[in-house]
Amino acid sequence: MMSGEDVKVLYPAPQSRISTVFDVLPESVAVERMSYLQQALQTRTLQTYEQHLVIADQDCWEEVRIAPLTEDEVLVIIRDVTDRKQAEQALHQLNQELETRIAERTTALRESEERWQLAIQGCNDSIWDWNLKTNQIFRTSRWKTLRGYGEHELGSNVSDWSEGIHSEDYERVMQAIQDHLAGKTAFYEQEYRIQRKDGSYVWILDRGQALWDEQGNPVRMAGSETDISDRKQIEEQLRRSEAHLNMAQRIAQLGSWEFDLQTKQIFWSQEVFEIYARNPKTGVPTYAEFLKSVHPADRIRVMRTAQKVIQGENSFDIEFRVYRADGNLCHVQGRGEFNRNLDENGGRLVGTVLDITNRKQTEAELRRLNERLTLSNADLHRATRLKDEFLANMSHELRTPLNAVLGMTEGLQEEVFGPLTDRQRQALATVERSGKHLLELINDILDLSKIESEKLELQTAPVTVNQLCESSLTFVRQQAAKKDIYLTSEISENLPNLMVDERRIRQVLINLLSNAVKFTPDGGQVCLEAHLDLQASKPMLCFSVIDTGIGIAEENVGKLFQPFVQVDSRLNRQYSGTGLGLALVRRLVELHGGKVSVTSVLGEGSCFTVWLPCLPEGGSTQIINRTVPFEANAVPANPVPVEQSGLLSQSSAAPSSPLILLAEDNEANIVTISGYLRGWGYRLVVAKNGREAIDRAIEEAPDLILMDIQMPQVDGLEAIRILREHSHLNKIPIIALTAFAMSGDREQCLAAGASDYVTKPIQFRLLIEKMQRLLTVNLALDS
């Protein structure tokens, strides 16, 4: 057995730097090396060649052996044969000289002696000569270097050899020598291990021939030793590879086979017999018998595939069905290639067979599931599309009348249509609140739809907790004051920032605060708390809305976050709402990577808590946009006030004031919008469909166009595209007006050529600001 020290010598430690062949060899030598490597992998045979190198201005020769191990791994063995090559060259030269000497001196004995000496020097093997009478052995220097000794080390005794034989090989070697000396064998030849000076072992091939005297006694025995360690390593690697292959075939149920086209003999591995449920004792079937077992529908295809490979194709890969010996039908995958004989006569088909019956059954089941899933997805897609169409149409139908209600209300409140009494202002304020409440409900429905269809996108940026809490409380102060509810906040100091969509998280807090105020009796308390939770797996900011309201029964807590569900239908008569608020809260918080919880005691109050991830310490405060979604009611960052524009004011009206083309088919909206704009001093032209809008724009050349999108004959998008095709109209600012507020509507309008976009119900102050900005920019371009 080899010790740990022996292993370290046989397998030296790897270098610290991994190099390629091209790093350590000249390019031509590296290219040749890679060519033999590829040939070894392709042919699966041992490749041997010699290569010449120049190292430190010295000619060197190496013998390279490349043995394939796996499909993509080879063993490369390099042996220095410089001495042998130099000896061969010297031998060649001296042979020529010797021929001259022979011609001159013709001394047969000297010729033989010289040739023998040159053979010893040029051969890489070691030579030994054992005098059995004196028990002394002559050895060449190679015999000593093979064992790691110097020229003057070791003696000429037999013990110097016998003591170095591996203990496991000793008896076998001694017996082989005794048998040969006794005349039982014609030659002595053994492979065994010898110990080197450093304690390691090498394999040698030891061969010899004895001489006997006239009485039949052995008097002399001479031979040679060859280092076969490299070959032994290759054989071991091959043995391991074969064992691994056999194990892999058993595990993978993969069989191997061969078919000799000349002898018609077929070889099957054990796994092939198992795949076809055939008893190995019955032998391998003939090719004709095998074809009979192939499913009739696949038989011709199998025969044609084999024929194509024989005629020149490199390999084949085919799936077919076979009836097993037990009568069951199985699916198999056959792979193989044709190996032609060296004499070009015939060859062998070599390949593998794999049982894929289970895989085929799984694939069939997956196909059935995919078909059902495809049908389900189609139904789901159709239902989603119908839902989106319904929501879009509902948004349009609700926003259109709301536009007239809120627009007229805004115009009346600004006294565009004349002065108001206090009672009229109060009445208009009630109408405005009711209209805005209805608009909020519509927006909640649309927001929930966008979240559930994964179309709602967040615009995140660092937000301070104090700013978020204060702005949220501002929205409910008036509502709380009307019920004499004590509204407080408790915000911990030095809280980190949040990376959130401020508008959406404010919407969450306002919703929770509004619910708390709504369900808390007059004179109650509502508190907003904010603190840092370090007990979670990562730091989280907690917002808690605590009230002294009516509370929630334990059996109803699970219904809180379901859309369109209120915990008690009896509350519908007392408290308004759609039941969407808390569903929106949960969806928006989850979009931010947070969570929501609630604790409540019936008759005592409730506590809703929101957990949100903190902005990492030292994190960037740069605004991060996941997308830039359109906000329907957003005010321009830097609007141009009407009073500063220099174009007109509410009280001014002149023939030179801007001409506005209003394209709108709803009569109530025409009255509302036109009345408001005229009150601000604009001149107005009205078109009631897209075709009329195009004609009036060409005739009047307005300064700005307000284009409704949903119109008869030609819709607003198509009308905008047509107008942009006219060279004298393509610079006119166009503001798209639409009651649609779904995802993608703004992008469609801008893509058609609109300059800006406003959703209904229209906030007229916003509309005026947009118009003034576009008119100012257009006036500057014209000048």
Side-chain angles (χ1 to χ4, degrees), residues 290-361:
F290 170 73
L291 285 177
K292 288 182 180 179
S293 67
V294 177
H295 193 283
D298 301 336
R299 191 173 299 154
I300 295 178
R301 184 162 54 88
V302 172
M303 294 174 61
R304 288 177 178 174
T305 299
Q307 192 63 34
K308 287 181 180 179
V309 174
I310 295 172
Q311 292 174 354
E313 290 191 7
N314 293 331
S315 60
F316 67 87
D317 188 341
I318 183 174
E319 295 180 1
F320 56 95
R321 292 162 290 178
V322 176
Y323 287 102
R324 293 157 46 103
D326 57 12
N328 293 322
L329 185 68
C330 68
H331 291 260
V332 298
Q333 181 180 39
R335 293 176 176 173
E337 62 182 22
F338 178 60
N339 293 332
R340 191 172 300 277
N341 293 336
L342 295 177
D343 58 6
E344 298 296 327
N345 277 329
R348 297 176 304 142
L349 280 175
V350 182
T352 61
V353 59
L354 175 66
D355 187 350
I356 59 172
T357 305
N358 293 336
R359 192 190 81 189
K360 284 295 184 180
Q361 293 173 348

Side-chain angles (χ1 to χ4, degrees), residues 126 139 142-149 154 160-161 164 192 194-198 202 204 225:
S126 64
R139 303 180 180 105
R142 174 61 181 162
W143 191 92
K144 296 182 179 181
T145 58
L146 185 62
R147 290 161 172 77
Y149 290 97
L154 296 179
D160 294 334
W161 161 70
Y192 57 93
I194 59 172
Q195 188 175 32
R196 290 170 53 85
K197 181 179 180 180
D198 59 11
V202 293
I204 63 169
E225 289 180 346

Side-chain angles (χ1 to χ4, degrees), residues 639-659:
V640 181
V642 174
E643 294 76 13
Q644 299 178 12
S645 67
L647 291 174
L648 76 162
S649 65
Q650 182 177 356
S651 59
S652 63
S656 60
S657 62
L659 178 62

Side-chain angles (χ1 to χ4, degrees), residues 324 566 776:
R324 293 157 46 103
Q566 288 190 330
T776 302

Side-chain angles (χ1 to χ4, degrees), residues 751-763:
S755 307
D756 211 331
Y757 171 93
V758 172
T759 58
K760 298 176 182 179
I762 297 171
Q763 294 184 23

Side-chain angles (χ1 to χ4, degrees), residues 495-508:
L495 292 178
N497 289 346
L498 287 170
M499 181 65 75
V500 295
D501 186 326
E502 182 177 0
R503 174 176 173 271
R504 295 300 182 182
I505 297 302
R506 186 186 298 113
Q507 183 180 357
V508 167

Side-chain angles (χ1 to χ4, degrees), residues 89-122:
Q89 292 176 356
L91 180 63
H92 176 70
Q93 182 178 357
L94 289 176
N95 278 342
Q96 293 178 342
E97 295 177 358
L98 187 59
E99 289 177 359
T100 302
R101 293 175 184 175
I102 291 174
E104 294 175 352
R105 301 171 64 180
T106 64
T107 305
L109 180 61
R110 186 168 182 177
E111 176 187 4
S112 176
E113 179 70 17
E114 289 176 353
R115 289 183 182 276
W116 184 80
Q117 290 294 337
L118 288 172
I120 292 177
Q121 295 174 8

Side-chain angles (χ1 to χ4, degrees), residues 237-254:
Q237 291 287 350
L238 291 175
R239 186 192 64 77
R240 291 179 183 175
S241 297
E242 185 177 358
H244 292 163
L245 178 60
N246 293 335
M247 182 182 297
Q249 288 186 358
R250 289 195 300 271
I251 295 173
Q253 295 183 337
L254 177 70

